[in-house]
Structures are given as C-alpha cells and as structure tokens.
Amino acid sequence: MTVTPSPLRISVVVPTYNRSRWIRPAIETIRAQRYPVSEIVIVDDGSTDETEQVTAGLDGSVRVIRQPHAGVSAARNRGVAESTGDWVAFLDSDDAWHPAKLAVQVAAVASIPATRWCAAAGNAIDEQGRVLPDGAGMAGVFPLFRDLGVEPASFLRRWLADVTVTHEQSRIAGLFGDAFESLFTLNYVHASSALFHRDAFLASGGFDRSLHVAEDTEFFHRFAAQHPLLLLLEPLFGYRIAHGAALSNASSVVPRIVNALTSIDRALAARGTPSASEIAASRVARVRLLRRQAYARLTELAPQDARALLRSAMASGGAWDLHALWLLTASYFPVSFLRGLHALKRAMRRQGVG
C-alpha cells in the first residue's frame, strides 16, 4: 500500500571545519532534494580556511552559525538546538546526498509512525563523486562487514525485520526494529544518512561534545537503547573519503577504541535492564576492542600496556587463542626488535606485499 506522507518540516544541519572546498557542493545536494527542506543551518566550527568567505556568499535561505572550535559533536548539537524543524537531518560538509534521499526517508517514517530515527545505506565516493572500488553499499562505507565476512542485510536480519517502503513508483527495501544488540558488533549508521525526530534527539542529550572521535558510535548506540531503528538498504548518500581518510589515521586508532569502550558502558546504562543476550554481546565487543587496543599499543611500542590490555580482555571473558598468545609473546620482545618488525611491515606494505 502506498503511504502519502504528511508534510514534515525538516531542518538540515551541516557541521563544518576547514572544508571550504566542499561547502557549496554540499548545499547543492541539499537544494537538489525532491523533498523541500525548511531550513539549512551551517555550523562553522572555528574554521581557519576560506569557509567564512564562502559561506558569506550564500543566499539568505542558508543560516550560518559561527563558533570557536569545539568539535563536530558540539557543532551538530548547536545546529539542532538552533533549528526550527520537527525533524533534523545531518550532512557532513564533505559528503553528498542522492536527490531522493529525504523524499524516501519521509515516506519511510510515514509508513511506520513509531519511527524516531531513520538511516540509510550509502556509497564511499571519491572527490568527483564516483563510487570507489569496493565502495558500494553498506560494506563500502563500513568495511568491517567485509572483515567479519558477513553480508550486511543478512547479518542485520538477526535483529531487524524486513520492511518495504513505497515511494512514487519504487519499492525500497528496509529493516526495522531494535538495533541495540547489533550495534555491539559494529556501528553501521553514518551521520550523513540520519534523520531524527528533533524532540527525541534533544531528549537524548545529543552527541557527547567531549568525544572528538567515535562520537557517532557512542551516540547512535545510546539512542538505539531507547528507539527502534528504521534502516533503508538503498544507498542514499555519498561518503567522501578521498581527502585524507581521517577514519584510518593511525594516530586516532587508540582514542577511537577507548571511546568505543566508553560507548559500551553508556549504551548499557541507557538500556537500563539489558537482556542476557545483550550483556553477552557487550562482553564479546569489549574483548574484541581490548585486544585491538593491545595490538595498537604494541604497534606504538608500549608492550607493558599491551600486556595489561590483553589480561583485561581475558578477564572480560576472552580466550587465549593463537593470536592472543602471539601478542603476549611479542610484548616481551625488546623494543628495538619490535621497532624493526614494524619497519619491515611498513616496507612490505609499500611494496604491495602482505
């Protein structure tokens, strides 16, 4: 059955920091939406490039808020606080939307009135907007699906039920349900795909402004503790990663893991009374993250920290498998030897080996 949605007043919040090159393309993808937005709110988070000049040249339909640099969480929260729509969509300033993105999401939330947030699949794109090799779909934006050897929709059907959204003459596949337990395995919601009921977002407390990496993982999991997720499986946004691949920056690996561990504790607290299955999933996630952190600290030539993290992982229910035993053994190697191993590994990567 085709659902004719009531008009929704949608505010679009665009946080930006030193992305002057991408501001206008981002605004163009918002203006190209088949569903008209009520307002566009750009939050310039203390940019030091030409962002101020670029945004000053935008017409009055775009509201620009400038603030001292405080991070993307603070910028998103500020944008929502100053928005006026009933629903809020986020678009990171270097990403792009499919023209039907909001129209499809409006039809989706109208078809399931209990929905308070709706996300969608996307594609990883280059500077020209072309889909990268292996960049299509959810596994393209979130490669951990491939690392785990699972197909996203099949994996998520363990928790979410199939739904179909009718938009114009198209039938769009989606999933709906309690995403809380699945998010212990990985975060598969991108901010540029998300549409939130504004009141529900504000009631949640928004993003934690003290977190500058993995802030989305923490917020989405905490929000999912209280609200079922409507996830559309059709790619409706482009995640641009060609300008630096910040997510893979080695310097942010340990902070991301630390914040992801914080996310586990906060999600469980937000749930209130998690089930036995959810508690078990949280323990598996904790062990995996502690082991990743141990490896990262070993890479940073901090073997004592690596050993302590491994022991914490085992105390949380981990097993001394071959990989853990290898990490433990390597943590007793001299630092000079570890440094040589890392140099050899980097050289092999440069030569395309391993």
Side-chain angles (χ1 to χ4, degrees):
M1 182 179 77
T2 301
V3 177
T4 302
S6 300
L8 300 182
R9 295 177 62 251
I10 298 177
S11 300
V12 182
V13 173
V14 183
T16 190
Y17 176 66
N18 289 346
R19 292 279 187 266
S20 59
R21 175 182 177 186
W22 301 109
I23 290 291
R24 286 186 180 276
I27 298 303
E28 288 170 7
T29 71
I30 298 171
R31 287 177 169 161
Q33 290 298 295
R34 295 170 190 165
Y35 189 93
V37 304
S38 296
E39 63 179 346
I40 301 172
V41 181
I42 296 176
V43 181
D44 179 3
D45 186 44
S47 295
T48 58
D49 63 358
E50 294 76 30
T51 295
E52 183 171 356
Q53 294 92 318
V54 171
T55 54
L58 298 171
D59 64 41
S61 66
V62 179
R63 186 149 51 101
V64 181
I65 299 169
R66 306 192 194 283
Q67 65 179 29
H69 184 54
V72 67
S73 295
R76 289 177 181 144
N77 291 348
R78 175 81 180 274
V80 177
E82 302 215 15
S83 67
T84 61
D86 302 312
W87 289 76
V88 178
F90 295 106
L91 177 62
D92 287 351
S93 57
D94 49 349
D95 292 337
W97 279 350
H98 186 285
K101 191 261 189 188
L102 289 181
V104 172
Q105 287 188 304
V106 167
V109 300
S111 68
I112 305 178
T115 302
R116 289 296 175 266
W117 64 318
C118 177
N123 296 319
I125 60 175
D126 65 12
E127 293 189 1
Q128 287 72 43
R130 299 170 299 202
V131 179
L132 293 168
D134 295 326
M138 292 185 68
V141 177
F142 299 102
L144 186 54
F145 280 114
R146 283 197 295 265
D147 295 343
L148 294 172
V150 296
E151 192 279 323
S154 299
F155 172 76
L156 294 174
R157 286 189 182 101
R158 293 171 55 188
W159 300 276
L160 308 178
D162 284 293
V163 295
T164 302
V165 176
T166 300
H167 170 62
E168 296 178 346
Q169 303 303 313
S170 301
R171 291 170 62 83
I172 297 160
L175 299 168
F176 179 79
D178 187 350
F180 180 74
E181 185 174 327
S182 66
L183 287 169
F184 283 115
T185 301
L186 77 162
N187 173 45
Y188 48 87
V189 178
H190 193 287
S192 289
S193 83
L195 174 69
F196 286 92
H197 192 281
R198 182 175 181 273
D199 288 347
F201 178 91
L202 291 173
S204 74
F207 292 89
D208 183 343
R209 59 181 295 153
S210 72
L211 303 182
H212 297 283
V213 292
E215 78 293 329
D216 48 357
T217 296
E218 189 277 335
F219 173 70
F220 295 140
H221 206 169
R222 178 162 42 86
F223 198 86
Q226 301 296 324
H227 301 284
L229 170 65
L230 176 53
L231 177 67
L232 303 172
L233 298 176
E234 180 172 317
L236 294 176
F237 78 101
Y239 165 48
R240 204 181 309 271
I241 63 174
H243 56 74
L247 289 180
S248 62
N249 190 320
S251 66
S252 71
V253 169
V254 170
R256 284 186 176 280
I257 295 171
V258 170
N259 289 353
L261 287 164
T262 298
S263 172
I264 292 175
D265 296 330
R266 292 184 178 177
L268 289 171
R271 192 67 158 182
T273 54
S275 68
S277 178
E278 291 164 353
I279 291 172
S282 74
R283 288 174 177 164
V284 171
R286 191 181 306 278
V287 168
R288 182 180 68 251
L289 288 167
L290 286 168
R291 287 175 55 152
R292 284 182 57 200
Q293 189 178 1
Y295 176 81
R297 292 299 287 148
L298 193 62
T299 301
E300 293 175 343
L301 305 179
Q304 291 183 343
D305 288 354
R307 282 197 296 276
L309 289 162
L310 278 172
R311 293 189 178 110
S312 294
M314 300 310 112
S316 298
W320 286 106
D321 56 17
L322 287 176
H323 183 256
L325 289 170
W326 161 246
L327 286 178
L328 181 64
T329 301
S331 74
Y332 286 99
F333 292 165
V335 170
S336 58
F337 184 76
L338 290 174
R339 188 178 290 111
L341 280 180
H342 297 324
L344 177 62
K345 189 173 182 179
R346 288 193 296 269
M348 292 174 66
R349 284 179 175 171
R350 285 195 296 269
Q351 296 173 15
V353 179

